[in-house]
Every structure is written in C-alpha cells, then in structure tokens.
Amino acid sequence: MDYIAIIHQFIDPIISDPKNIDIREEESRSKKDRLFVIRCGSDDMGRLIGKRGITADAIREVISIAGKNNNEHIHIKITSFEDNKAEETIESNEE
C-alpha cells in the first residue's frame, strides 16, 4: 500500500504549498511498525498540527486505519525543515 500517496491526499489541501513538503519512510523497530516523517515549513507545520493537535491526531487516525487493513502499525511524525537544519548542525559540530 502506498501510504505516502495516502498521506499526500489528506495533507495537500491543508497546506499552503504542497510542493514544499517531504514525506519519507524511516526505519522502524519491526516489520509491522512503519514510521513516516512529514517535513514542511514552519507555517504549514502549524496547519498540520492544528489547535491542540486535533488535525495531526485526525491524520494519524485515518492513516492508522489504512494500516490496520494490512496488519501494520503506522506512525507519523511531523517536523519542520528548520528543525532538521538545527539537528544537522548539531550533528556536524559533534563530529
């Protein structure tokens, strides 16, 4: 199942610039767990999370239902591009 396409279907109408979004699958602990990381600009991050996380929770719930049909646990993490740049800088300084 193409979870990235499903995630795009839900988040593209919410965000201001769908072309400025990056969704990747990252390694997870087991074959049944799948982790998807959504990276976007800080303005869109607020739209995706919503007030009190309601939008993010709804996205996670819908995607997890799709995963249950395949006996998979889907996890979604939302970060901004700015957060990732800060992490890369910290890792570079540690080396």
Side-chain angles (χ1 to χ4, degrees):
M1 181 172 282
D2 188 359
Y3 292 108
I4 293 176
I6 294 171
I7 294 169
H8 268 293
Q9 285 181 332
F10 284 98
I11 67 173
D12 285 357
I14 299 170
I15 57 178
S16 63
D17 185 9
K19 294 178 185 175
N20 193 23
I21 203 110
D22 180 37
I23 303 172
R24 294 189 185 182
E25 184 172 3
E26 294 191 356
E27 272 191 52
S28 57
R29 293 177 248 149
S30 72
K31 291 181 181 179
K32 288 189 175 186
D33 287 324
R34 296 184 70 181
L35 171 63
F36 293 91
V37 178
I38 302 171
R39 291 180 182 89
C40 57
S42 57
D43 291 343
D44 285 330
M45 189 171 170
R47 289 183 184 94
L48 286 177
I49 294 173
K51 288 186 179 181
R52 292 185 227 123
I54 292 173
T55 305
D57 288 345
I59 293 168
R60 288 183 179 111
E61 183 67 26
V62 170
I63 301 303
S64 84
I65 290 169
K68 287 178 185 176
N69 289 330
N70 292 329
N71 293 324
E72 296 176 316
H73 298 259
I74 308 299
H75 306 276
I76 296 178
K77 179 180 176 183
I78 302 171
T79 65
S80 72
F81 290 122
E82 290 80 14
D83 290 342
N84 292 329
K85 289 178 186 173
E87 288 175 14
E88 290 171 6
T89 303
I90 290 169
E91 289 174 3
S92 297
N93 290 337
E94 290 176 355
E95 294 176 356

